[in-house]
Amino acid sequence: MISKAKGFTYQKTNMIYIQKWKDGVWGEGKLETSDQFTISGMSTSLHYGQECFEGLKAYRRLDGKIQLFRVKDNAERFQMSCSYMMMPIIEVDVFIEAVKKTVLANADFIPPHGNNEALYIRPFMIGVGNNLGLRPAPEFIFSVIVSPVGSYFEGEVRPVDMSVSKYDRAAPNGTGHVKVGGNYAASLIAQVQARKEGFADCIFLDPKTHTKIEEVGAANFFGITKDKKYITPKSPSILNSITNRSLKYLAKNHLGLEVIEGEIFIDELDHLIEAGACGTAATITPIGSITHNGHKHVFPAHDVIGEYTKKLFDLLTGIQFGDVEDPQGWITIL
Ligand code: PLP
Ligand code: COI
């Protein structure tokens, strides 16, 4: 078994999965050794951002077996993203099979059990083929590439400092709810600026009123209130995180917390005792402070991970690594 996770960086593995769409039909999916693509320089994905992707992980269990977390949910969200981007749909079963095949072909690269290390799986679709005018591509490629990864935010799981971006990552009726490359390209300027200023990342506000927390560039936001409720923003322009969906379930059913999907005003953070970012890459990253318009709001849990965030972290990662019983059919053992 090779353990080579080096933070959240890409390392080439044995095989990638490729499937091509042409003349209205999908060809057969294949595993290939090269991770290089030869496509037309006039592809819609290169010029007009006709692209979408997913992110999930394969985990090494204590007994050595490999398991996936909520792969069907990623398949369904991928279909939504493909539809929005005017790209052909990949059937849920085809998506799951492609993920399974790619993971098994790269089983040697799955890090050992625990330590927040896993095999990150990146399914994606791109518009390819010669094209100049603004229209959907004549051809598409669906691919799955994997890489061993560790923590998204460097080091131990401890609270990080974040700032509030002056930029929007998505429009009120735009693409915020689908997982498309353009959202991420548009958020880079804010993220780079935040990191230059010494923050781990930045938080985006709602694009309509700029008064409410939406999410982080690559993760959802949640908080624990003084009266012990799990609160997370509700907005049409954020990604419906599968990790956050899992945390809502665990907060309610395992920790007995009331779950609120509502508004978190950036100028009214005193009611939160803990805050965090959650996502496949981020897992759960506690947020110790948020700086907005020169004012730094420090949460009570700013030095070490808060009590409830820690409980959620342990439950979530316990299920993902196969140490805690799967409550909802979230796990697929390969
Ligand atoms: N929000 C954004 C913008 C993301 O990129 C991600 C990462 O996938 C998430 C939230 C978390 O989603 P999930 O938990 O499904 O990975
Ligand atoms: C994920 O968590 O899977 C993501 O897609 C985050 C990525 C933008 C780094």
Side-chain angles (χ1 to χ4, degrees), residues 184-297:
Y184 298 84
S187 72
L188 282 175
I189 188 168
Q191 184 224 61
V192 169
Q193 196 165 311
R195 293 204 173 147
K196 225 185 253 172
E197 290 166 4
F199 298 102
D201 211 331
C202 64
I203 287 172
F204 292 91
L205 299 181
D206 73 286
K208 211 169 194 169
T209 70
H210 297 115
T211 58
K212 295 172 273 187
I213 290 181
E214 287 248 302
E215 63 176 331
V216 184
N220 272 185
F221 180 90
F222 71 90
I224 305 292
T225 65
K226 275 181 183 155
D227 54 355
K228 312 287 161 14
K229 292 177 182 158
Y230 179 97
I231 183 163
T232 189
K234 189 173 176 65
S235 158
S237 46
I238 63 180
L239 191 74
N240 187 353
S241 155
I242 294 161
T243 313
N244 197 3
R245 277 186 242 166
S246 312
L247 294 182
K248 282 183 257 183
Y249 178 89
L250 296 172
K252 180 164 181 265
N253 296 287
H254 287 238
L255 302 185
L257 304 181
E258 190 182 323
V259 171
I260 302 173
E261 290 174 75
E263 295 167 323
I264 303 178
F265 290 96
I266 189 65
D267 289 332
E268 297 172 16
L269 296 175
D270 284 344
H271 66 300
L272 299 183
I273 52 170
E274 297 175 26
C278 65
T280 299
T283 317
I284 294 180
T285 302
I287 299 174
S289 75
I290 299 177
T291 298
H292 177 46
N293 285 341
H295 169 75
K296 182 173 180 179
H297 180 92

Side-chain angles (χ1 to χ4, degrees), residues 28-298:
E28 208 184 313
K30 291 188 188 116
L31 289 171
E32 292 182 5
T33 52
S34 170
D35 62 352
Q36 304 295 303
F37 287 67
T38 302
I39 59 170
S40 167
M42 291 306 284
S43 293
T44 58
S45 51
L46 297 179
H47 297 262
Y48 307 131
Q50 195 183 24
E51 185 273 357
C52 69
F53 66 97
E54 269 304 323
L56 69 157
K57 284 175 177 169
Y59 302 83
R60 176 81 62 190
R61 294 162 52 93
L62 193 56
D63 62 11
K65 289 185 185 152
I66 302 160
Q67 64 180 34
L68 303 173
F69 182 68
R70 302 193 70 163
V71 58
K72 184 163 177 278
D73 294 275
N74 289 98
E76 287 169 357
R77 192 171 63 189
F78 193 62
Q79 288 193 329
M80 217 173 69
S81 300
C82 290
S83 299
Y84 192 100
M85 297 307 277
M86 302 307 298
M87 305 203 284
I89 291 291
I90 278 280
E91 295 300 335
V92 167
D93 289 351
V94 176
F95 180 101
I96 294 174
E97 254 333 282
V99 166
K100 282 184 181 172
K101 272 189 191 154
T102 318
V103 169
L104 289 173
N106 296 294
D108 283 355
F109 287 86
I110 304 176
H113 180 78
N115 202 24
N116 210 9
E117 292 184 358
L119 189 76
Y120 185 77
I121 306 162
R122 173 54 60 82
F124 63 101
M125 194 184 293
I126 52 176
V128 296
N130 293 326
N131 177 72
L132 183 55
L134 180 58
R135 62 177 76 86
E139 296 169 30
F140 295 89
I141 297 176
F142 168 58
S143 177
V144 183
I145 303 188
V146 299
S147 174
V149 296
S151 301
Y152 187 63
F153 293 102
E154 279 168 24
E156 297 277 293
V157 179
R158 51 165 189 81
V160 298
D161 297 313
M162 294 209 180
S163 61
V164 170
S165 167
K166 67 174 182 185
Y167 301 98
D168 296 326
R169 68 177 278 283
N173 298 313
T175 53
H177 64 295
V178 282
K179 202 161 168 59
V180 302
N183 293 342
Y184 298 84
S187 72
L188 282 175
I189 188 168
Q191 184 224 61
V192 169
Q193 196 165 311
R195 293 204 173 147
K196 225 185 253 172
E197 290 166 4
F199 298 102
D201 211 331
C202 64
I203 287 172
F204 292 91
L205 299 181
D206 73 286
K208 211 169 194 169
T209 70
H210 297 115
T211 58
K212 295 172 273 187
I213 290 181
E214 287 248 302
E215 63 176 331
V216 184
N220 272 185
F221 180 90
F222 71 90
I224 305 292
T225 65
K226 275 181 183 155
D227 54 355
K228 312 287 161 14
K229 292 177 182 158
Y230 179 97
I231 183 163
T232 189
K234 189 173 176 65
S235 158
S237 46
I238 63 180
L239 191 74
N240 187 353
S241 155
I242 294 161
T243 313
N244 197 3
R245 277 186 242 166
S246 312
L247 294 182
K248 282 183 257 183
Y249 178 89
L250 296 172
K252 180 164 181 265
N253 296 287
H254 287 238
L255 302 185
L257 304 181
E258 190 182 323
V259 171
I260 302 173
E261 290 174 75
E263 295 167 323
I264 303 178
F265 290 96
I266 189 65
D267 289 332
E268 297 172 16
L269 296 175
D270 284 344
H271 66 300
L272 299 183
I273 52 170
E274 297 175 26
C278 65
T280 299
T283 317
I284 294 180
T285 302
I287 299 174
S289 75
I290 299 177
T291 298
H292 177 46
N293 285 341
H295 169 75
K296 182 173 180 179
H297 180 92
V298 180

